[in-house]
Amino acid sequence: MFHVGEPLLATPKLRVSLFAFLLFLVVSLGDARLHRTRSARSPTEETVETYDKYYNYVELTERIQSLARKYPHIANLSSIGQSVEGRELWVMRITKEPNIDTPGKPRFKYVGNMHGDETVSRQVLVYLVEYLLTKYGEDPRITQLVNNTDIYIMPSMNPDGFEKSIEGDCNGDNGGRNNAKNIDLNRSFPDQYDGTSVDPDNVPEVMALIKWIQEKKFVLSGNLHGGTVVASYPFDDSASHKRQGHYSQSEDDGLFRYLALLYSQNHPVMKTGHPNCPDALEETFTDGITNGAQWYDVPGGMQDYNYLYGNCLEITMELSCCKYPFATELHKEWDLNRESLLAYIEKVHIGVRGYVKEAINGSALTNVSILVAGIHHNLTTGQYGDYYRLLLPGTYSITAVAQGYTSMTVHSVQVVEGKPTELNFTLAPVVSETAGSITVTTTSMPSTSDPNISTTTTNSFDSTHVVPSEGNKSSLPVFPPEHQPAQPQEFRHHNYADMELFLRKYSSEFPSIAHLYSIGRSVEERELYVMVISDNPTVHEHGEPEFKYVGNMHGNEVVGRELLLNLIEYLCRNYGTDTEVTKLVNNTRIHIMPSMNPDGYEVATEGDIKGYKGRNNSNNFDLNRNFPDQFTAIKEPRQPETIAVTNWLKSIPFVLSANLHGGSLVVNYPYDDDKEGMTQYSQSPDDKVFQQVSRAYSQENPLMHNGHPCEDLYPGEYFVDGITNGANWYNVPGGMQDWNYLNTNCFEVTIELGCAKYPMAKELPKYWEQNRRALLQFIQQVHSGVKGTVSDIRDGTGIPNATISVEGIDHNITTAHTGDYWRLLVPGTYSVVASAYGYTPVTTYATVSKHTVEVVDFRLTRVHSDPNGQSPKGPQPTQNPSEKEFQSLIKDLSLGQGLKELVSTTATENNFRYKGYKELSASLRGLTLNFPRITSLHSLGQSVEFRTIWALEISNKPEETEPSEPKVRFVAGIHGNAPVGTVLLLEFATFLCINYGKNPAITRLINETRIVIVPSINPDGREQATEKQCTSTQGLTNAHGKDLDTDFFGNASQRVVEAQPETRAIMDLILDKSYSLSVALDGGSLVATYPYDKPVQSVENEGTLKYLASVYANNHPKMHLGDTGCSNNGQMGNIPDGVMRAAERQSHMGSMKDFSMDFGHCPEITVYTGCCLFPPTEQLATLWAENKKPLLSMLVEVHKGVRGVVRDKSGKPIVGAIIVLNGGVRVFTTEGGYFHALLAPGNHNIEAVADGYQQQRQEVVVSSYEAASSIIIEFDMDNSIFGLPREFVVASAAASMTALVVTACIIWCVCAAKSNRQKDGFHRLRQHRDDYDDEIRLTSMGSKKSLLAHEFQDESESDEETLYANKI
């Protein structure tokens, strides 16, 4: 081991050189003498160890492979990884039945040759392997050890370095210490103080070890080195990194000293404490052991990593003064270390061991934390619920703590020398909150059968006492002294690396209650860490409020940062022992962000009282002026830190929050500004609540409550009770606390913690003492007001996004994804209303008291259901279990973190790059070849230059028409100079195919959806475009110079020239009319647009179109913020929610989305994925990460809205029926009578119209998180005639016919009478014929017809005669 800062002058160089020369001279003869023997036989044939040679990598490999083959019943050889130069990191596992994991055997490991030129350990561990294997079955000690221990031995962690080293090099002068990348492996592990400072790619050996350590959960370990003779134990470094002389004590310091002493006392040289190394003759170690940091500081060491992050206690053994002694020394070194090596392995069987099981079904509980009172270092159970807690002899109280289970404490556990105490735990699930605690006698007693052991099961926050057992009935109960919570021990300023290690340490040490995550990164790529502390920290528990603290928003205001780290330590170390802390942690999910501005902190200066250095982020923007404001337009671009926080706040239903600042001493509450921008009181609707929670903090801080914060700096400043309205102090537009209140359910205040922004480190204990009680009391405020659940009366399921309104307070909150809510209120009686889309609102009264939260649950009835929750009358579709399962999936993916979790669990390996037409075509064909069951590739047509426009369908039955399934279209590349969409859709298709059959959610979505992907509409333009051209129009048009998004016209009268071939191909696709949704990807902006592109005064169904665009934008990490920041195209303004009508962005005629709406009857949104049209290749991975979730959200969204079947009374489906939505938009039923329409959440009217049938009307309720409910519309035959009821028409017709018959009879009678008179006249005429003949002959000038018509026409002539006469 390389000794940093060792006194080299103590050993004269001449003495060292002379010693090395003589040693070389003595052993070289022996080495030459043995050379012939070595070369005469192969290593594989060498079954008897000679202890006189080093094995190089090849020989080592052959040797241990041979041993593994020879002893397969107790030996298994494997590699955990490779070195830089590709050599295997061999590990020999030695135990009975080495190929399986058997519960009850603790895991032990030895690691040698970490420094390549420290070689004794390499050979000694090979000898140990041989010894254990050959002595098994012969030596009872070895047999017992192998049978009961899972032993892992790694002879060489640094095989590359060994190959470089030279035998006889005692001081490491010839290299080989480091790996092939020249990195010291024992300075490369994550350090508790400095974090990770080494590129993982440079230390594959370390990364392999870390993975191995995390997977195996070793109990005890030894790391073998060379360079002196001593056993070194943690910690290896300290926060101060003092080079020598600083004792860095761990929580298990006594145990580590015992283990190190055990090794040294069995080593004849080590136990003397006088290594007598030639280069450090004066160096001594008491009893042959040393604390690592006291010897010299080693940051990034492996032994500390094992202890802090691996469940494992490890010490470091230095075996010899000479790092690479001649081989003749090896037998001696084996003899010196053999007993120590064996005795140390045996110590894996001390302390307490046992199993943790579930009370109901007896199953093993993994990752249960085992806590030992007084030792603040926990470990966790393994895969069989087994644990092994090494402890020195003594009496202990041990607690098992698991998420969702009642913790169990066993008192007076006796640990004896030489054998482990068996102690099993049985944990019961938490089913309800119960005040007080239950003390019971354990049913699973330790093997010691000690009558004084008792077990305490804690189901709440109250303290418990040791209960005298039956054997102590005569004894009086002994009550412990009043509990004093453990306080933070180390106060210092933590830089970023120090803070990171602190957080990782506590997350690892207390995994049952602490979970570390990052919400994003700063400008300079530092993680924005959040530690969540709760009894079930990784999930939102129904009914448990979410609380947060945010510190260090201004980088030079550092007190909040340090207080929050202190608070993390305080909560973790006092959980389970302190009543108040346990209660808070069990009933609150507490999120703590120590630093929102880590970049600013790194440039701030200790001692800064009222300066500005480091206040802003790295882009020099004040983060507390960077949030959207209700009164002032914030023109500065949103910063990465701001974006990360807003996304965070929208993803978790926070109830209460505080933003910790510095520079004064006061609690500041909303509003922070007002309309006029003047310094005056700006009251929020919840002004009384804000005053209450603000006083709760200030009253626990005596200096703050006094109201005179900084008399030396600001002598005239005074705050009544230590609180103030923000705008009444001074105006802060763009502040975070107002944004919380106005945009989420969260009430936030800003707490100024002290007059100095960056006080000296020695002042930090004072700040903790002043604020400790206040920090805890403020968290308690989250448990005030009213809380409860809003559920559906039919099935009791929670209703998410229901609105909770309080009469007289103009500020509503909404329910979380399981229907739970929390509404902070001051004491009083309130009228509270719960309402939700599609439900009848419910009002009740609630009385809020001062110290408790009032539980108010609501059960809502769906609209059009009776009070008992019955469904409306009429035909109802039957629902099979599979449909219910799918509806549950849609709900899960629509609520909470469902979609985010799907994204995070379906990562695919990818190497993003732009692909030209040929490679794109090959990739699409490759998908069909590799996934033929779910893909089908079609040509829609060809471009001007005869490139094929491909359409890829993804479905479980791609060649079949399935009209009952919704069909969604994804298109890209209409502008060839914006090819990002093409890359995203190709990756999206690949992602879906790869995860089909592997991920249940993806598989089900594909099975239930017909997905059509058109990655490139304009392949000719794409071939002309150039990468890294953010604004260039080259490639925008097709080969004819036509912008294809201006070429979609459905009416011939609107078209001047023939449609482009690309346009015609897409028009034919759109006219299929079977699509429910279309998503087009473009570039040059960061916004989602909805129809229309053409200028129109109003848009039918605009609410739905805008909603669909907002679904995409809300799932995009940046788009929904509305801050595009596209300076390259002038798009700099804030776009509300990142959504706008397309015509407002750039109005034009002939767009694809307008054609889809008007002629395809399919809503289409256009998503502009980024400001740059053709960004560099290296940005594609980020763009995919940003758009993966939104694209998946479209697959979920297409299953919502309303769907159903139209049929007649006989059940015959009606094709071509018109479904009119809200009196405007129309969709048509397809084959099988199916229809599907997407609608915004809310109530909607549906009319169904078909020729020959009566029109039908229904009202439906659409949810934002539920799959479309199927409805059946049954038509009756149309009984109307000319739009009038058939009965009325028939009656009217009958009456009309009767009237006609009567009229005809009357006319006939009249005509008959007239006819008789006419006949009489002619008779008389004939009688006087002779008299009149001459007169007639003279006067008649015309025909007989003339005579009849003129001379002799009678009034009674018939209608027919008159008609005939008029026609002549």
Side-chain angles (χ1 to χ4, degrees), residues 755-825:
C755 301
K757 293 186 176 182
Y758 199 148
M760 304 302 291
K762 64 182 180 181
E763 301 292 322
L764 293 177
K766 176 188 71 176
Y767 282 99
W768 170 249
E769 192 55 40
Q770 290 172 358
N771 289 279
R772 173 175 62 88
R773 291 297 320 146
L775 288 166
L776 297 173
Q777 187 60 37
F778 188 76
I779 300 176
Q780 296 276 13
Q781 299 308 300
V782 79
H783 297 283
S784 62
V786 295
K787 72 172 185 178
T789 302
V790 180
S791 59
D792 190 313
I793 196 171
R794 293 183 307 173
D795 54 13
T797 59
I799 302 173
N801 299 318
T803 300
I804 304 297
S805 308
V806 179
E807 185 178 349
I809 302 177
D810 187 20
H811 182 79
N812 302 333
I813 58 101
T814 56
T815 56
H817 69 272
T818 58
D820 45 350
Y821 76 91
W822 306 262
R823 211 311 177 181
L824 301 183
L825 292 167

Side-chain angles (χ1 to χ4, degrees), residues 834-1033:
S835 58
Y837 278 128
Y839 292 88
T840 303
V842 172
T843 303
T844 189
Y845 286 90
T847 299
V848 176
S849 57
K850 187 174 183 181
H851 297 296
T852 60
V853 61
E854 183 75 8
V855 178
V856 181
D857 294 326
F858 294 90
R859 301 180 68 199
L860 304 189
T861 303
R862 285 185 181 269
V863 176
H864 305 304
S865 294
D866 65 28
N868 296 320
Q870 298 300 313
S871 299
K873 296 179 180 179
Q876 296 298 311
T878 57
Q879 192 177 53
N880 60 45
S882 178
E883 287 177 319
K884 290 182 178 180
E885 181 184 320
F886 183 65
Q887 289 187 348
S888 177
L889 172 65
I890 295 299
K891 187 172 183 178
D892 290 342
L893 294 177
S894 301
L895 294 174
Q897 303 297 306
L899 200 57
K900 182 178 179 181
E901 290 173 2
L902 176 61
V903 169
S904 64
T905 56
T906 51
T908 54
E909 294 292 331
N910 39 45
N911 183 19
F912 290 101
R913 68 182 188 281
Y914 293 105
K915 297 181 179 181
Y917 168 73
K918 290 184 178 180
E919 194 174 1
L920 173 67
S921 300
S923 296
L924 292 171
R925 291 192 190 96
L927 287 173
T928 61
L929 293 172
N930 285 280
F931 305 98
R933 283 202 319 113
I934 61 169
T935 60
S936 177
L937 189 62
H938 304 281
S939 169
L940 301 179
Q942 290 188 320
S943 66
V944 174
E945 296 180 344
F946 303 104
R947 293 181 174 93
T948 300
I949 300 170
W950 295 111
L952 178 72
E953 181 169 352
I954 301 175
S955 174
N956 64 331
K957 299 176 182 177
E959 297 294 346
E960 298 181 20
T961 300
E962 296 182 274
S964 63
E965 293 182 357
K967 196 171 183 180
V968 59
R969 184 173 69 238
F970 293 94
V971 298
I974 195 169
H975 296 131
N977 63 335
V980 169
T982 300
V983 177
L984 296 181
L985 290 189
L986 185 59
E987 181 61 28
F988 187 48
T990 306
F991 165 81
L992 293 175
C993 291
I994 288 176
N995 283 285
Y996 184 80
K998 296 179 181 178
N999 181 275
I1002 296 295
T1003 303
R1004 194 64 194 272
L1005 284 172
I1006 292 175
N1007 287 345
E1008 301 291 338
T1009 322
R1010 290 181 296 163
I1011 306 162
V1012 175
I1013 295 176
V1014 183
S1016 182
I1017 298 175
N1018 183 7
D1020 297 349
R1022 166 64 185 87
E1023 295 299 306
Q1024 300 300 317
T1026 306
E1027 187 177 346
K1028 300 181 182 179
Q1029 296 298 311
C1030 288
T1031 58
S1032 173
T1033 59

Side-chain angles (χ1 to χ4, degrees), residues 188-208:
S188 302
F189 282 79
D191 188 79
Q192 62 177 318
Y193 303 112
D194 296 337
T196 303
S197 58
V198 180
D199 184 350
D201 292 337
N202 290 333
V203 284
E205 301 90 348
V206 170
M207 302 312 296

Side-chain angles (χ1 to χ4, degrees), residues 137-196:
E138 298 177 6
D139 185 333
R141 178 192 186 191
I142 300 302
T143 304
Q144 182 180 12
L145 190 61
V146 171
N147 284 343
N148 297 310
T149 318
D150 204 356
I151 305 168
Y152 294 76
I153 298 176
M154 175 184 283
S156 180
M157 180 182 167
N158 185 4
D160 298 350
F162 176 85
E163 297 297 313
K164 186 179 179 181
S165 303
I166 298 176
E167 186 173 344
D169 181 4
C170 289
N171 299 320
D173 297 331
N174 294 291
R177 172 189 176 88
N178 298 343
N179 74 348
K181 291 279 189 178
N182 199 28
I183 305 294
D184 189 332
L185 300 182
N186 208 32
R187 305 296 188 279
S188 302
F189 282 79
D191 188 79
Q192 62 177 318
Y193 303 112
D194 296 337
T196 303

Side-chain angles (χ1 to χ4, degrees), residues 601-903:
Y601 178 91
E602 296 300 311
V603 300
T605 306
E606 186 173 357
D608 180 9
I609 302 299
K610 52 188 296 185
Y612 290 90
K613 184 180 179 183
R615 173 187 177 91
N616 296 346
N617 75 344
S618 288
N619 287 336
N620 199 28
F621 288 106
D622 187 331
L623 297 180
N624 208 32
R625 306 295 189 278
N626 196 237
F627 286 78
D629 191 82
Q630 62 176 325
F631 301 124
T632 305
I634 305 301
K635 298 181 180 179
E636 291 80 6
R638 296 284 177 272
Q639 296 303 293
E641 298 89 347
T642 309
I643 292 172
V645 168
T646 53
N647 287 336
W648 178 44
L649 302 191
K650 286 187 175 183
S651 67
I652 297 173
F654 289 111
V655 180
L656 182 62
S657 171
N659 181 12
L660 306 186
H661 283 246
S664 188
L665 193 63
V666 66
V667 181
N668 169 101
Y669 56 87
Y671 289 129
D672 252 339
D673 64 342
D674 69 347
K675 293 181 181 179
E676 290 78 22
M678 298 174 60
T679 301
Q680 58 185 5
Y681 204 109
S682 184
Q683 181 173 312
S684 73
D686 282 289
D687 191 66
K688 292 181 180 178
V689 174
F690 279 118
Q691 289 191 41
Q692 175 178 277
V693 298
S694 298
R695 285 194 182 92
Y697 193 98
S698 70
Q699 287 172 353
E700 295 291 341
N701 186 322
L703 289 177
M704 184 183 291
H705 191 256
N706 186 41
H708 294 280
C710 308
E711 295 183 277
D712 294 338
L713 296 174
Y714 314 107
E717 202 164 54
Y718 173 68
F719 304 107
V720 178
D721 293 335
I723 67 174
T724 183
N725 174 264
N728 202 38
W729 185 14
Y730 62 92
N731 259 255
V732 178
M736 183 165 71
Q737 72 175 13
D738 287 6
W739 191 90
N740 269 265
Y741 179 66
L742 294 168
N743 295 276
T744 74
N745 285 346
C746 187
F747 289 47
E748 180 170 279
V749 300
T750 302
I751 302 175
E752 304 281 345
L753 295 168
C755 301
K757 293 186 176 182
Y758 199 148
M760 304 302 291
K762 64 182 180 181
E763 301 292 322
L764 293 177
K766 176 188 71 176
Y767 282 99
W768 170 249
E769 192 55 40
Q770 290 172 358
N771 289 279
R772 173 175 62 88
R773 291 297 320 146
L775 288 166
L776 297 173
Q777 187 60 37
F778 188 76
I779 300 176
Q780 296 276 13
Q781 299 308 300
V782 79
H783 297 283
S784 62
V786 295
K787 72 172 185 178
T789 302
V790 180
S791 59
D792 190 313
I793 196 171
R794 293 183 307 173
D795 54 13
T797 59
I799 302 173
N801 299 318
T803 300
I804 304 297
S805 308
V806 179
E807 185 178 349
I809 302 177
D810 187 20
H811 182 79
N812 302 333
I813 58 101
T814 56
T815 56
H817 69 272
T818 58
D820 45 350
Y821 76 91
W822 306 262
R823 211 311 177 181
L824 301 183
L825 292 167
V826 299
T829 300
Y830 300 90
S831 174
V832 185
V833 182
S835 58
Y837 278 128
Y839 292 88
T840 303
V842 172
T843 303
T844 189
Y845 286 90
T847 299
V848 176
S849 57
K850 187 174 183 181
H851 297 296
T852 60
V853 61
E854 183 75 8
V855 178
V856 181
D857 294 326
F858 294 90
R859 301 180 68 199
L860 304 189
T861 303
R862 285 185 181 269
V863 176
H864 305 304
S865 294
D866 65 28
N868 296 320
Q870 298 300 313
S871 299
K873 296 179 180 179
Q876 296 298 311
T878 57
Q879 192 177 53
N880 60 45
S882 178
E883 287 177 319
K884 290 182 178 180
E885 181 184 320
F886 183 65
Q887 289 187 348
S888 177
L889 172 65
I890 295 299
K891 187 172 183 178
D892 290 342
L893 294 177
S894 301
L895 294 174
Q897 303 297 306
L899 200 57
K900 182 178 179 181
E901 290 173 2
L902 176 61
V903 169

